[in-house]
Amino acid sequence: MIDFKEKTIAEIVSSDISAASIFKKHQIDFCCGGNKTIATACEEANIDVSLIINDLANSKKNSAIPQLNFNKWNKDFLIDYIVNVHHTYIRQNIDIVNEFGQKVASVHGEHAPETIKISALFSQLTEDLKAHLEKEEKIVFPAIKAKLADSNYLFDSEVIHLLEDEHDNAGTIVKEIQKLSNNFTPPEWACSTYKAFYFKLDEFINDLFQHIHLENNILFSKFRNN
């Protein structure tokens, strides 16, 4: 049996992306908090570490579908994947989620005031992400590709730290949204739009977590100290 306990969360998710769903299930941060061991993360969250280890072991045992090992991908290809998959997803979905959020806040905000705050937080998150994506695509990713092509290329690692700080800020907003939405659980009386809003929020944040994980724990790790 694999000794998961002292492995970092980033190591586990980097070798098997399906493990991300297990950490999400237990509300353990696998992107910005990926440098922690499972034991440390569970202690901080007051979670029995054996629950997560058992889930990870069972996931390995029952998985019949080959998992993508992003850690072994060519970094140029990984950058293109992040842009074409995750950046595209964000741009295609932010207006949809914002529209749902504004409608729910408008209709239900009086008796569910948390929806007003959630809608405002998501709007803030997406405005931050728009600028973040532009910075990555126009400045940072081209610089990383230049460094990969020419080891003598002068690459300022401070830009990596800046992006990671922005990821941390996004993570702070996401955690507040999760708390306010009771982990995306709509009330029993919720209408279809209310349910759709929480469903899309959950989907959006799942994608964002994997997106940040790929950058922080796989792509940026090669350039952080250069």
Side-chain angles (χ1 to χ4, degrees):
M1 181 176 175
I2 299 173
D3 182 13
F4 290 111
K5 192 172 182 179
E6 296 307 319
K7 283 184 172 292
T8 67
I9 297 170
E11 287 173 338
I12 293 170
V13 178
S14 294
S15 65
D16 181 2
I17 196 64
S18 67
S21 62
I22 293 171
F23 290 116
K24 180 179 181 297
K25 169 186 170 184
H26 294 282
Q27 298 186 43
I28 295 290
D29 180 2
F30 67 85
C31 49
C32 299
N35 61 333
K36 299 175 183 176
T37 65
I38 292 181
T40 299
C42 286
E43 182 179 357
E44 290 178 355
N46 196 27
I47 296 172
D48 183 350
V49 68
S50 65
L51 295 177
I52 295 181
I53 290 175
N54 287 339
D55 279 355
L56 289 168
N58 289 332
S59 175
K60 284 280 188 184
K61 188 189 304 179
N62 297 330
S63 178
I65 302 173
Q67 298 297 325
L68 298 175
N69 191 342
F70 296 102
N71 206 37
K72 293 185 177 180
W73 283 14
N74 177 284
K75 296 300 184 286
D76 281 348
F77 186 81
L78 180 60
I79 287 172
D80 292 340
Y81 177 88
I82 289 169
V83 172
N84 290 322
V85 175
H86 294 294
H87 287 200
T88 296
Y89 173 85
I90 287 173
R91 291 188 172 110
Q92 289 178 341
N93 286 274
I94 53 176
D95 288 343
I96 296 171
V97 185
N98 269 315
E99 183 178 342
F100 282 156
Q102 290 164 10
K103 185 172 182 179
V104 170
S106 174
V107 174
H108 300 289
E110 185 175 348
H111 53 278
E114 69 277 5
T115 61
I116 298 174
K117 182 65 172 175
I118 292 169
S119 179
L121 284 168
F122 186 79
S123 180
Q124 177 188 342
L125 175 65
T126 55
E127 286 304 308
D128 291 346
L129 284 173
K130 287 176 184 178
H132 183 81
L133 301 191
E134 288 293 307
K135 192 180 304 172
E136 288 186 336
E137 292 176 12
K138 293 184 177 179
I139 301 172
V140 182
F141 287 172
I144 289 177
K145 285 190 173 186
K147 182 66 174 179
L148 289 168
D150 179 4
S151 60
N152 293 318
Y153 178 84
L154 295 177
F155 181 84
D156 183 4
S157 63
E158 282 303 309
V159 299
I160 297 297
H161 297 299
L162 175 62
L163 292 181
E164 289 177 325
D165 285 344
E166 292 178 358
H167 289 164
D168 287 343
N169 290 336
T172 298
I173 295 173
V174 165
K175 287 173 185 175
E176 183 65 15
I177 290 174
Q178 288 176 309
K179 181 180 177 181
L180 288 167
S181 66
N182 191 23
N183 203 28
F184 315 111
T185 305
E188 291 183 4
W189 49 263
C191 66
S192 295
T193 303
Y194 203 139
K195 292 176 182 177
F197 177 43
Y198 275 22
F199 175 84
K200 288 296 292 184
L201 267 177
D202 192 13
E203 178 188 85
F204 189 98
I205 288 171
N206 279 337
D207 179 86
L208 185 61
F209 278 168
Q210 184 176 141
H211 175 182
I212 293 174
H213 162 70
L214 292 177
E215 292 183 356
N216 279 10
N217 301 323
I218 299 180
L219 179 62
F220 294 165
S221 63
K222 180 178 177 63
F223 303 95
R224 188 176 288 114
N225 298 317
N226 286 354

